[in-house]
Amino acid sequence: MTTYHYPDDLLKAQQDLNEVRASLEALVKTLPYSVVPMEAWQRPEGYWLSASPSYPASPGWSDQEQKDVAALRERERDLAAAIVTHAFWNEVAEPQRPDARSQLRHALERGDGEGQEAA
């Protein structure tokens, strides 16, 4: 059985990544469906059956909205890169790394900062 003891900076990076992803998701939900302005349109019959049959005109995203989304996506990329390249992974046996990475994603939910016991 293996218990993973994650370094504080790795836990902080995962927490920040979770927060950035939540912020990005919340922001995108408030924006028009199209980044660029589009006229209203209807889908052809028989296509995308589960999607809405028509879409209203989209004013597109403002320059500031595009910058905000780009900044969050860049921060998300940077945090993900910091997590997957962290020196901690060198201490974990290669066959156990996928499990350790999976447990890291849930360590903050448990509030203990440690991984669960793995078989």
Side-chain angles (χ1 to χ4, degrees):
M1 302 292 250
T2 303
T3 300
Y4 305 105
H5 300 279
Y6 301 105
D8 290 341
D9 62 330
L10 183 57
L11 288 167
K12 177 71 170 126
Q14 183 65 50
Q15 180 180 4
D16 291 349
L17 180 61
N18 293 347
E19 291 170 3
V20 166
R21 286 181 171 163
S23 296
L24 180 58
E25 181 180 3
L27 175 59
V28 169
K29 284 182 179 181
T30 67
L31 299 175
Y33 68 88
S34 175
V35 177
V36 297
M38 288 186 68
E39 295 179 9
W41 62 281
Q42 287 197 326
R43 67 169 170 81
E45 287 300 317
Y47 292 94
W48 313 301
L49 296 177
S50 64
S52 174
S54 63
Y55 293 85
S58 172
W61 298 1
S62 70
D63 287 342
Q64 186 59 49
E65 290 166 336
Q66 291 180 44
K67 288 177 185 176
D68 292 345
V69 169
L72 286 170
R73 286 183 176 155
E74 181 177 3
R75 180 75 175 132
E76 179 184 31
R77 259 189 323 271
D78 292 345
L79 287 165
I83 290 167
V84 300
T85 61
H86 195 280
F88 169 77
W89 303 118
N90 295 330
E91 301 170 15
V92 178
E94 193 170 333
Q96 294 177 331
R97 287 180 193 163
D99 179 58
R101 287 180 176 155
S102 179
Q103 287 189 35
L104 172 63
R105 291 183 193 105
H106 301 287
L108 297 168
E109 295 168 5
R110 291 189 306 274
D112 61 5
E114 293 184 4
Q116 296 175 342
E117 298 219 340

